[in-house]
Amino acid sequence: MASATDSTPMQQNKLFNRTRAQLAGWYAGVMGLILSVSGLVAYEMLAYTHWQAVEQELKSISGTLHDTLEPKLQRPNQLEPVVKQVLPGLCVVGTSCSQDTQSRHVLGIVQTGHYYVRFFDQSGQMLAQLSSPPPGLPPPTTQEGWQTIRDHNGSRYRQVTLLLKTATGGPWSYMQIGRSLQEFDDHLATLRLLLAVGLPLSMLMVGGASWWLAGLAMQPVFHSYAQIQQFTADAAHELRTPIAAIRATVEAVLDTDSLSSEEVQETLSAIARQNHRLAALVQDLLLLSRMDQKKSVDRHQSCCLNDLISDLVESLSVLEIAAPIQLTAQIRANEPLYVTGDENQLSRLIANLIVNALQYTPNGGIVTVTLEQADTHALIHIQDTGIGIASEHQLRIFERFYRVSGDRSRQTGGAGLGLAIAKAIVEAHQGSLKVQSELGNGSRFTICLPLE
């Protein structure tokens, strides 16, 4: 029996952790997909932006050189002096040139360290060049337009080839302007490294956050599941008690050969008492179930609280438990107070609290029911001089089947549903129920209901 009992929390924990892991996995998967797509989009946008900047720079330089040189060119395939003036440090093929060109600028715009300029005739023969191109580049081509090429080392270059014309409109020669893409490729490599390192780290953080958030999300579910299990266990326990009593009585009768009429009467009376207790418990459970589903009252009628309280106090005063206790009513309202709701449920609400006060008030004590008005609400106070409720129990006394003192409740026949029903009824009428109590100094329950 002990092993079966101990396995239940473990099974609950496995179910909770399995569901939590599934939620965390789905959340982490979705977030991982979002982060991956976002990282890829960001990478592509940055790469595109950087590439456009490179091409725009090349376009600007090539366009400036083209517009500067072309109006001054006269003889085809011949370098004009104006070309050397515009491009200081230009090295003509067949002559010795200084290699100190790294600090020069093209038209004062950009350094030639990243750029190269080549002039070649219409047959593809090199005429001159600025800033010696890296070794291993393909030979010049007379094909105009943009190209991306690689040298023997695999380094990439972006270049544009333009046909220059003379001042008379005839073809002069070709000009090719290019630049290294090493900076661009290094920038993309850095981005890829950041994504390769950042995405796994982000996923680890997302995984941890997913597990934590899934735990938070599962707490109310697990708490509700535990409450349902506890409610089922408590209900089964309460139902088992009268059923066991009826079964024991019936078995005792079956084992007896003959019964006198008096014994038969006592047996039937015992079965009737347990049957009444069983029926009352089932009725209370059905009432709570219906109120949980509807969350509001069915009948809306005008109910006079003055008459309701007076009738309840008068009828409950004749009960056996009220015989040694002084039960009084105090109506402090100047005029009748009316609320809208179900009169039977309101009567059950107040009766439950009065009976509860009578049960926990010793002989010679006082239970006072007070009705008063506070602005647009009616206040009903049920004050007793009973044993009181400790502070650690006051937050749980409205839970179903919860007992402050199990032995005392069983002596009075309570199942721990009275206060739960009272709270359900008052909430269905858009009101509130509060308790003020001190151990050994009695309790005070206050019902607040909106007036018509």
Side-chain angles (χ1 to χ4, degrees):
M1 182 62 71
S3 61
T5 304
D6 294 339
S7 66
T8 302
M10 185 180 300
Q11 292 173 355
Q12 291 179 357
N13 192 38
K14 285 184 178 179
L15 176 62
F16 173 73
N17 287 332
R18 184 167 63 250
T19 307
R20 183 180 183 182
Q22 290 175 350
L23 287 176
W26 278 107
Y27 182 79
V30 172
M31 288 302 299
L33 180 61
I34 293 175
L35 287 176
S36 300
V37 172
S38 300
L40 180 62
V41 171
Y43 173 82
E44 293 295 337
M45 290 183 64
L46 289 174
Y48 176 78
T49 302
H50 201 83
W51 182 264
Q52 290 298 313
V54 170
E55 290 213 339
Q56 187 63 36
E57 197 172 74
L58 271 175
K59 284 181 181 179
S60 175
I61 296 173
S62 60
T64 302
L65 287 175
H66 177 275
D67 295 343
T68 302
L69 295 176
E70 198 170 63
K72 301 175 182 179
L73 300 175
Q74 301 296 330
R75 294 174 297 174
N77 300 324
Q78 297 291 326
L79 286 175
E80 307 285 348
V82 66
V83 178
K84 296 183 178 181
Q85 293 175 1
V86 173
L87 298 173
L90 184 68
C91 181
V92 180
V93 174
T95 63
S96 61
C97 302
S98 173
Q99 299 299 320
D100 184 21
T101 59
Q102 298 301 314
S103 61
R104 297 181 182 276
H105 290 66
V106 178
L107 298 179
I109 300 174
V110 295
Q111 291 186 357
T112 58
H114 298 295
Y115 288 81
Y116 59 87
V117 182
R118 298 192 289 188
F119 292 94
F120 50 93
D121 59 22
Q122 299 177 39
S123 62
Q125 298 296 320
M126 184 74 70
L127 299 177
Q129 62 185 11
L130 176 67
S131 182
S132 298
L137 283 182
T141 175
T142 57
Q143 179 182 357
E144 293 186 82
W146 293 86
Q147 291 177 310
T148 301
I149 58 177
R150 292 180 182 270
D151 61 13
H152 291 333
N153 296 325
S155 299
R156 298 198 307 159
Y157 296 84
R158 184 68 170 167
Q159 66 182 22
V160 59
T161 303
L162 301 174
L163 175 63
L164 298 180
K165 297 181 179 180
T166 63
T168 59
W172 179 73
S173 63
Y174 289 94
M175 178 181 66
Q176 191 175 77
I177 302 174
R179 66 156 293 170
S180 171
L181 294 178
Q182 188 64 42
E183 180 183 358
F184 172 76
D185 291 339
D186 290 344
H187 178 70
L188 293 186
T190 303
L191 287 178
R192 288 193 295 269
L193 178 62
L194 289 176
L195 289 175
V197 175
L199 278 178
L201 290 177
S202 300
M203 286 305 302
L204 288 176
M205 297 176 63
V206 168
S210 301
W211 180 259
W212 178 66
L213 289 175
L216 290 181
M218 285 297 299
Q219 283 298 332
V221 178
F222 184 69
H223 181 66
S224 299
Y225 179 69
Q227 282 186 326
I228 292 173
Q229 282 197 320
Q230 185 63 41
F231 175 78
T232 303
D234 291 338
H237 181 77
E238 293 297 333
L239 291 171
R240 184 178 61 182
T241 302
I243 291 176
I246 294 174
R247 180 179 179 181
T249 303
V250 172
E251 289 178 351
V253 172
L254 293 176
D255 292 339
T256 304
D257 295 334
S258 61
L259 292 176
S260 63
S261 59
E262 183 178 352
E263 289 174 335
V264 171
Q265 188 67 30
E266 291 178 357
T267 301
L268 293 177
S269 298
I271 294 176
R273 287 195 302 270
Q274 297 301 328
N275 185 64
H276 175 74
R277 180 181 177 183
L278 186 61
L281 179 59
V282 172
Q283 185 177 1
D284 289 344
L285 291 175
L286 290 175
L287 174 61
L288 286 172
S289 177
R290 287 195 299 267
M291 298 196 71
D292 284 342
Q293 295 175 1
K294 296 177 181 177
K295 301 297 183 182
S296 61
V297 295
D298 289 334
R299 293 185 296 174
H300 295 275
Q301 60 189 78
S302 182
C303 305
C304 179
L305 294 180
N306 304 58
D307 298 338
L308 190 62
I309 292 175
S310 299
D311 293 342
L312 281 174
V313 171
E314 182 179 353
S315 59
L316 293 176
S317 298
V318 301
L319 294 180
E320 181 180 354
I321 59 174
I325 301 171
Q326 182 180 350
L327 177 60
T328 60
Q330 296 181 2
I331 308 299
R332 297 178 180 175
N334 297 327
E335 55 185 14
L337 301 182
Y338 289 89
V339 296
T340 301
D342 189 323
E343 186 173 354
N344 293 331
Q345 291 186 8
L346 291 174
S347 178
R348 177 74 180 274
L349 160 66
I350 302 172
N352 279 8
L353 295 177
I354 296 177
V355 171
N356 187 73
L358 292 173
Q359 289 177 346
Y360 290 96
T361 300
N363 295 343
I366 301 174
V367 175
T368 305
V369 183
T370 304
L371 173 63
E372 61 182 6
Q373 180 178 355
D375 296 330
T376 58
H377 288 76
L379 299 181
I380 305 172
H381 306 286
I382 294 91
Q383 178 84 43
D384 63 62
T385 57
I387 60 177
I389 305 170
S391 57
E392 63 268 20
H393 297 294
Q394 292 181 17
L395 295 177
R396 299 194 59 190
I397 58 175
F398 298 107
E399 296 179 8
R400 299 172 186 183
F401 297 109
Y402 183 79
R403 297 184 181 89
V404 176
S405 175
D407 294 338
R408 180 69 182 270
S409 296
R410 295 191 187 281
Q411 291 174 6
T412 56
L417 293 177
L419 292 180
I421 292 174
K423 186 174 180 62
I425 293 174
V426 78
E427 289 179 350
H429 287 78
Q430 285 73 50
S432 62
L433 177 59
K434 299 179 180 179
V435 60
Q436 294 176 329
S437 183
E438 184 177 349
L439 196 61
N441 292 324
S443 305
R444 181 183 186 183
F445 288 83
T446 300
I447 304 170
C448 180
L449 294 172
L451 294 171
E452 284 187 348

